[in-house]
Amino acid sequence: MAPMTTSAATLPLRDRCGLLRDYWYVACRAESLGPKPLGRVIMDEALVLYRDRAGQVHCFRDRCLHRNAELSEGFVRDDCLVCPYHGWAYDAEGRCVRVPSARPGTPLPKKELTRFPVREQDGLVWVFMGEPERAPAVEPFHMPHHGEAGWKSYYMETLFENDVTNCVENFMDVPHTVTVHKDWFRTESGKEVRATVERTEDSVLVTYHQERDEIGLSTLILNPTREPMVHTDKFYMPNVTRVDYDFGSKRSFIITSQCTPETERRTRVYTAITFRLGGRLLNKLGRLLLPPYTRKVIHQDVEIMANQGRSLSRYGEEFLNSEADLLHRYIESLRDWATQGGTAKKPAPQKQEIVFYV
Ligand code: FES
Ligand SMILES: [Fe+2]
């Protein structure tokens, strides 16, 4: 059988995303990884991850060197990854250390599994998708207040049938909150919203000038004393959004979303819900009451993202922008520039005021 050839259009995402591969992407939550091999896809690249007895995490291309079976369906013995098909075993460096069917004395294959740099940070396992030698120069994104005293946080892991750009835009989009999240997050009232939108070298920052805004459950759990709310949204290249709501000086609610591109139109999102409600007991109450609420709201976004994803798959992209979509255009300009390999003129820093109604 001849080797498979690939045209530019069918190249794996990792080989046609320009500079976007030169980042750390979340592969899984740290707590979901043990000695059992875990299969994940990032940028069309199939990966297998496992944790050895010393707690170290290893990550390889999910493809046995023998007859190319997926190693993620195998198992780990003595810290070696064993293929489920004929039992070839690979050590933590990806070297083949055992071929069960080989005549004694036969030299082991020299070829090694393709390895990916891996790190554990803030309760997440991160994989570097660029050339491994570039990894030390890049830091994974730090999740805000992770493990800090006085703060509580939890992760949600969600699959979206849409690309990273549309997902991050959705997470920062305010106008959809009165339709998609009607009665759950914000309800339409024709209120004027003023915001400053700023594009820097590698981020988009939105500051809302609307102290009397409210978000669902805010009065009940987040802001019982009705302090003025300060709301800022940030996008960080290439795939992170951070939405902050501060209520006075003691209460905050932060939603940080890490978007991992699995394929062209599937994104696995790790959402950190981080909060401080002004006391240990209130934090405990928040930890109890917030998950069902945040899950419901995310599920509403999953549905609208799948809807848009279907339409984009059918007809491609042809957007009409309103004033409120300036932040979308800024995000697209940064991601498009990186996808094209960073050779074109870089989008210049810019700041503008916008007005819209919700
Ligand atoms: S395919 Fe993996 S051992 Fe044969
Ligand atoms: Fe939403």
Side-chain angles (χ1 to χ4, degrees):
M1 184 89 161
M4 192 175 74
T5 51
T6 37
S7 68
T10 56
L11 273 178
L13 200 49
R14 182 169 177 246
D15 294 331
R16 56 184 163 92
C17 68
L19 305 180
L20 293 180
R21 58 188 272 170
D22 288 337
Y23 289 92
W24 294 89
Y25 287 91
V26 177
C28 62
R29 280 179 289 175
E31 64 178 23
S32 53
L33 189 64
K36 192 173 172 319
L38 176 73
R40 279 286 195 251
V41 174
I42 303 183
M43 295 181 162
D44 288 328
E45 183 77 63
L47 306 170
V48 54
L49 298 110
Y50 74 95
R51 195 186 285 283
D52 68 21
R53 284 172 293 191
Q56 265 325 94
V57 178
H58 307 282
C59 179
F60 302 103
R61 178 171 288 162
D62 193 7
R63 189 186 196 219
C64 177
L65 297 176
H66 180 217
R67 309 298 291 178
N68 301 161
E70 288 177 348
L71 294 162
S72 54
E73 293 199 347
F75 57 91
V76 173
R77 181 185 290 151
D78 298 333
D79 289 343
C80 290
L81 189 55
V82 183
C83 177
Y85 197 177
H86 311 94
W88 286 30
Y90 302 91
D91 71 9
E93 313 293 317
R95 292 179 293 234
C96 179
V97 291
R98 184 163 183 256
V99 175
S101 64
R103 188 196 287 257
T106 311
L108 289 162
K110 290 260 177 307
K111 197 171 170 187
E112 294 176 8
L113 294 176
T114 303
R115 273 174 90 186
F116 290 81
V118 68
R119 278 228 215 154
E120 213 172 318
Q121 182 190 291
D122 300 338
L124 299 168
V125 174
W126 308 70
V127 174
F128 189 75
M129 296 306 291
E131 293 310 316
E133 54 276 13
R134 292 201 200 159
V138 185
E139 276 294 302
F141 184 86
H142 276 277
M143 302 304 275
H145 307 292
H146 184 87
E148 243 174 66
W151 292 80
K152 269 240 179 296
S153 69
Y154 61 90
Y155 283 116
M156 292 188 292
E157 187 178 326
T158 318
L159 272 178
F160 285 80
E161 300 297 331
N162 210 322
D163 64 20
V164 170
T165 307
N166 290 318
C167 285
V168 292
E169 293 187 6
N170 169 257
F171 304 151
M172 286 180 61
D173 182 289
V174 169
H176 87 284
T177 54
V178 297
T179 45
V180 172
H181 307 300
K182 185 174 177 290
D183 300 331
W184 280 88
F185 197 79
R186 253 193 208 95
T187 303
E188 188 170 359
S189 61
K191 215 172 4 186
E192 182 184 277
V193 179
R194 291 184 172 272
T196 308
V197 187
E198 184 181 2
R199 177 177 66 200
T200 72
E201 282 258 293
D202 52 6
S203 67
V204 176
L205 317 172
V206 189
T207 311
Y208 291 92
H209 311 297
Q210 193 195 13
E211 292 210 327
R212 290 261 71 111
D213 193 16
E214 274 182 15
I215 53 172
L217 288 195
S218 66
T219 35
L220 281 174
I221 308 174
L222 302 173
N223 193 15
T225 49
R226 289 184 168 260
E227 304 285 333
M229 178 173 103
V230 179
H231 173 197
T232 54
D233 289 355
K234 304 181 196 79
F235 161 74
Y236 298 102
M237 277 291 278
N239 65 333
V240 186
T241 58
R242 172 177 170 170
V243 174
D244 281 64
Y245 300 98
D246 288 309
F247 312 95
S249 59
K250 289 200 190 78
R251 292 193 176 86
S252 311
F253 181 65
I254 309 172
I255 309 162
T256 313
S257 306
Q258 280 283 345
C259 303
T260 298
E262 289 204 337
T263 63
E264 178 87 60
R265 255 192 232 299
R266 184 182 303 131
T267 304
R268 193 181 287 267
V269 178
Y270 299 84
T271 313
I273 304 291
T274 311
F275 54 92
R276 51 169 189 166
L277 302 180
R280 195 183 268 209
L281 220 69
L282 289 166
N283 276 355
K284 274 197 172 161
L285 193 68
R287 182 69 184 87
L288 214 68
L289 297 178
L290 285 169
Y293 170 72
T294 50
R295 223 168 274 133
K296 171 75 187 176
V297 171
I298 278 209
H299 186 71
Q300 292 168 333
D301 284 327
V302 165
E303 294 201 329
I304 197 67
M305 284 293 93
N307 166 327
Q308 184 194 34
R310 283 192 301 274
S311 170
L312 292 173
S313 299
R314 205 173 287 134
Y315 295 116
E317 210 172 281
E318 197 183 5
F319 295 156
L320 269 187
N321 291 308
S322 69
E323 186 168 343
D325 297 319
L326 177 67
L327 55 121
H328 296 12
R329 289 194 281 121
Y330 278 173
I331 291 171
E332 281 153 29
S333 65
L334 291 176
R335 283 187 50 89
D336 287 350
W337 175 82
T339 306
Q340 286 150 16
T343 48
K345 191 167 173 285
K346 193 163 190 184
Q350 229 174 65
K351 197 192 237 182
Q352 269 188 57
E353 306 292 321
I354 57 167
V355 180
F356 60 88
Y357 295 81
V358 287

